[in-house]
DNA sequence: TATGCGTGGTT
DNA sequence: TAACCAAGCAT
């Protein structure tokens, strides 16, 4: 039998140069890139699709064009600018990392994988991505796309989650001396556009001739995935308190757990069963007579399904410390999707809306 | 190593 | 339609 041929970096680069998407965090082909912009985009792209990130990235960059500007922002502003993107710990780490870069590193990002990995929110993937894309380090960043590509090309039957070190080493060996950043990004793009999870486009793949999974007709067998558990269900009762202007009382989620630091409705803690009357009463903001809103709002997180019942009430009082009145209706943008959903559910339509 | 962390798109 | 999954990280 003949020796298996090695995937060719030049062939992948040629494909990428021709087919790569024009995304706002990408410059012209082969051009040196601003580490701040690479870092910001990579944090946003963690577990988040490019199409979702594009408008948020541009808005973020408009508001905080440099790492120093971001370091000077207040944490609340950063969290609110992140609202709707999910995984809110990313936003807190982003702000903290900006302050580390601004102070400990004099406003310039470090250029080695190891130094980058010391920044909050920067793990093995993101550190490698910044090093390759912004600093020309000859390495690859193994995300879900790259893990899938390599698992297929080399028919690796270890589950991707447990073999990322090995995949990293395999990928880095393939990287060329010239344009390592473009190569690292090309691998990701190949996974996103061609070597897709289902229905891979092997017919247009630049690596088809060296892909073991294609050769053996087993692209569907790689990467090997571990079945995931079904999310647990959690129940709570949330309180929708409105003032005369139709504004809604929100507070910052202070408990560790989902939505920490974000604007949420006052509510009982989440529990495995529906809250008892005593638990509901203990969590009630003081004041009004509460009206039960029909139905249950269901919201899915990666590991939880939240089922929330809403009680509505009206008041004339001022917000307590740590609480704010939020317009509620229009700008849903400072809010997590979960909070937005709770505001919208069974809301009494305003006259203007009802007339349409 | 396993688990906790959002949200939206795709099939 | 109910998985499945996305440019993962921290603990």
């Amino acid at each position: 039998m003949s020796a298996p041929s090695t995937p060719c970096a030049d062939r992948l680069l040629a494909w990428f140069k021709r087919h790569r998407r024009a995304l706002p965090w990408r410059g012209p082909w082969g051009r040196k890139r601003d580490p701040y912009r690479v870092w910001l985009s990579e944090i946003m792209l963690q577990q988040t699709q490019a199409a979702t990130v594009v408008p948020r990235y541009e808005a973020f960059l408009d508001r905080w064009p440099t790492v120093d500007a971001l370091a000077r922002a207040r944490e609340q502003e950063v969290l609110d600018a992140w609202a709707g993107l999910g995984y809110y710990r990313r936003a807190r780490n982003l702000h903290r990392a900006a302050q580390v870069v601004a102070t400990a590193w004099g406003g310039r990002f470090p250029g080695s994988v190891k130094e980058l990995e010391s920044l909050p929110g920067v793990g093995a993937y993101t550190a490698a991505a910044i090093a390759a894309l912004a600093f020309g380090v000859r390495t690859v960043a193994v995300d879900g796309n790259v893990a899938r590509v390599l698992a297929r090309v080399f028919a690796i039957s270890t589950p991707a989650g447990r073999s990322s070190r090995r995949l990293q080493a395999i990928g880095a060996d393939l990287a060329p001396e010239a344009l390592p950043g473009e190569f690292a990004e090309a691998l990701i793009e190949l996974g996103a556009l061609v070597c897709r999870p289902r229905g891979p486009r092997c017919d247009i793949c630049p690596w088809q001739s060296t892909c073991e999974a294609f050769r053996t007709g087993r692209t569907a067998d790689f990467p090997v995935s571990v079945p995931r558990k079904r999310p647990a269900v959690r129940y709570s009762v949330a309180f929708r308190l409105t003032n005369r202007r139709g504004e809604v009382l929100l507070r910052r989620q202070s408990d560790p757990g989902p939505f920490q630091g974000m604007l949420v409705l006052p509510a009982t803690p989440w529990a495995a069963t529906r809250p008892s009357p005593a638990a509901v009463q203990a969590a009630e903001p003081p004041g009004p007579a509460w009206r039960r809103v029909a139905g249950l709002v269901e919201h899915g997180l990666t590991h939880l399904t939240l089922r929330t019942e809403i009680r509505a009430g009206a008041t004339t009082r001022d917000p307590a410390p740590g609480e704010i009145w939020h317009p509620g209706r229009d700008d849903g943008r400072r809010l997590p999707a979960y909070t937005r959903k709770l505001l919208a559910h069974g809301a009494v339509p305003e006259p203007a809306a009802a007339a349409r």
Side-chain angles (χ1 to χ4, degrees), chain A residues 323-346:
Chain A
E323 298 177 339
I324 65 156
W325 288 113
H326 185 273
R329 240 193 144 20
D330 50 0
D331 95 59
R333 203 115 57 211
R334 288 169 59 199
L335 307 178
Y338 173 60
T339 300
R340 248 182 287 158
K341 217 182 265 189
L342 292 178
L343 292 184
H345 174 78

Side-chain angles (χ1 to χ4, degrees), chain A residues 149 151-155 195 200-205 207-222:
Chain A
V149 170
R152 284 176 176 159
V153 168
F154 296 102
C195 196
R201 298 290 311 277
C202 301
D203 53 321
I204 61 168
C205 181
W207 278 1
Q208 185 204 89
S209 65
T210 55
C211 180
E212 181 65 10
F214 177 79
R215 190 183 70 79
T216 55
R218 295 195 299 150
T219 56
D221 296 343
F222 303 98

Side-chain angles (χ1 to χ4, degrees), chain A residues 40 44 66 86 114 135 144 159 161 176 196 199 209-210 216 240 251 257 263 285 313:
Chain A
L40 176 61
M44 283 192 172
T66 66
K114 189 157 201 168
F135 293 102
R196 306 179 299 193
S209 65
T210 55
T216 55
R240 204 163 63 201
R251 61 175 178 79
L263 290 170

Side-chain angles (χ1 to χ4, degrees), chain A residues 207-254:
Chain A
W207 278 1
Q208 185 204 89
S209 65
T210 55
C211 180
E212 181 65 10
F214 177 79
R215 190 183 70 79
T216 55
R218 295 195 299 150
T219 56
D221 296 343
F222 303 98
V224 175
S225 62
V226 293
R228 55 187 71 185
K229 280 190 279 193
R230 183 168 300 181
V233 179
R234 292 287 179 270
Y235 296 88
S236 76
V237 172
F239 303 95
R240 204 163 63 201
L241 188 60
T242 53
N243 65 15
R244 267 181 236 179
R245 283 175 289 184
E247 297 165 329
V248 183
L249 188 78
L250 298 181
R251 61 175 178 79
R252 297 260 164 205
Q253 177 75 299
S254 51

